[in-house]
Amino acid sequence: EAEVAQSPRYKITEKSQAVAFWCDPISGHATLYWYRQILGQGPELLVQFQDESVVDDSQLPKDRFSAERLKGVDSTLKIQPAELGDSAMYLCASSSRGRFSGGYTFGSGTRLTVV
Amino acid sequence: AQTVTQSQPEMSVQEAETVTLSCTYDTSESDYYLFWYKQPPSRQMILVIRQEAYKQQNATENRFSVNFQKAAKSFSLKISDSQLGDAAMYFCAYRSAVSEKLVFGKGTKLTVNP
């Protein structure tokens, strides 16, 4: 069964350092999402891509977060500089284009700890 | 903006019994999708069941079924014959047919007691 790949699974970084997460969606899925999930809460959308274009980044803290999906396939989410409050699980998901017939497929996530 | 509310932070059920998790949502759209996701301690988000707003019939997947009340904007999940493996966080989610944005509730932690 096709999966959304994310790496790394775990990341510990010091405050003020830069950190990056990678996501490879299911082949052919045009829409890619990055979510942040604080422990005990629901996922919050950070950015949504349609192919290589950003569709929604209204909740992305743009002073420190950036996201790209250069060729419309895999994507990178970067934080610079990291802050203690960024400690969370970062989830990537993908879905197919067009009349929605399926669900979203989520990756296993990257758990970030900022110390 | 659409919002999803899960009013039960925690629920518990005895093994083999039935439990219902509540979800309400707020939207001005007529075409949308609703989901229940399960997130076990391993943290992988797993789709449990989905409902398309234009379908009046409630979705069912084995032991999982929903009660979709469009006018009331309510979407509850019923788990029958609860099993120990059902213990997890359950998230209700709304997807706009226009923006394709998926919005989650804050979740309900389900405990299954043997």
Side-chain angles (χ1 to χ4, degrees), chain A residues 35-105:
Chain A
Y35 285 87
R36 176 172 60 187
Q37 185 179 21
I38 296 172
L39 187 63
Q41 298 185 20
E44 173 195 25
L45 180 67
L46 291 176
V47 62
Q48 176 183 342
F49 287 94
Q50 185 71 35
D51 298 310
E52 67 275 9
S53 300
V54 173
V55 174
D56 185 344
D57 64 355
S58 57
Q59 300 301 313
L60 188 72
K62 298 180 186 64
D63 57 335
R64 298 185 300 108
F65 286 65
S66 64
E68 61 182 15
R69 193 184 183 198
L70 294 176
K71 296 183 178 179
V73 181
D74 58 337
S75 175
T76 302
L77 178 69
K78 298 178 181 178
I79 307 175
Q80 182 174 15
E83 296 182 352
L84 296 177
D86 296 332
S87 294
M89 176 73 81
Y90 290 82
L91 295 169
C92 180
S94 69
S95 69
S96 56
R97 189 204 304 267
R99 181 65 186 176
F100 188 71
S101 59
Y104 296 79
T105 304

Side-chain angles (χ1 to χ4, degrees), chain A residues 21-40:
Chain A
F21 314 127
W22 177 79
C23 172
D24 190 12
I26 289 176
S27 178
H29 277 193
T31 311
L32 184 148
Y33 310 80
W34 282 103
Y35 285 87
R36 176 172 60 187
Q37 185 179 21
I38 296 172
L39 187 63

Side-chain angles (χ1 to χ4, degrees), chain B residues 3-4 32 45 47 52 56 65 81 85 93:
Chain B
T3 59
V4 177
Y32 52 86
M45 195 75 77
L47 176 66
E52 294 167 275
Q56 293 185 334
S65 61
D81 186 24

Side-chain angles (χ1 to χ4, degrees), chain B residues 1 3 26-27 32 35 38 49 58 74-75 84 87 108:
Chain B
T3 59
D26 185 28
T27 185
Y32 52 86
F35 305 87
K38 171 185 177 181
I49 197 165
N58 289 324
S74 172
F75 184 62
L84 295 177
T108 297

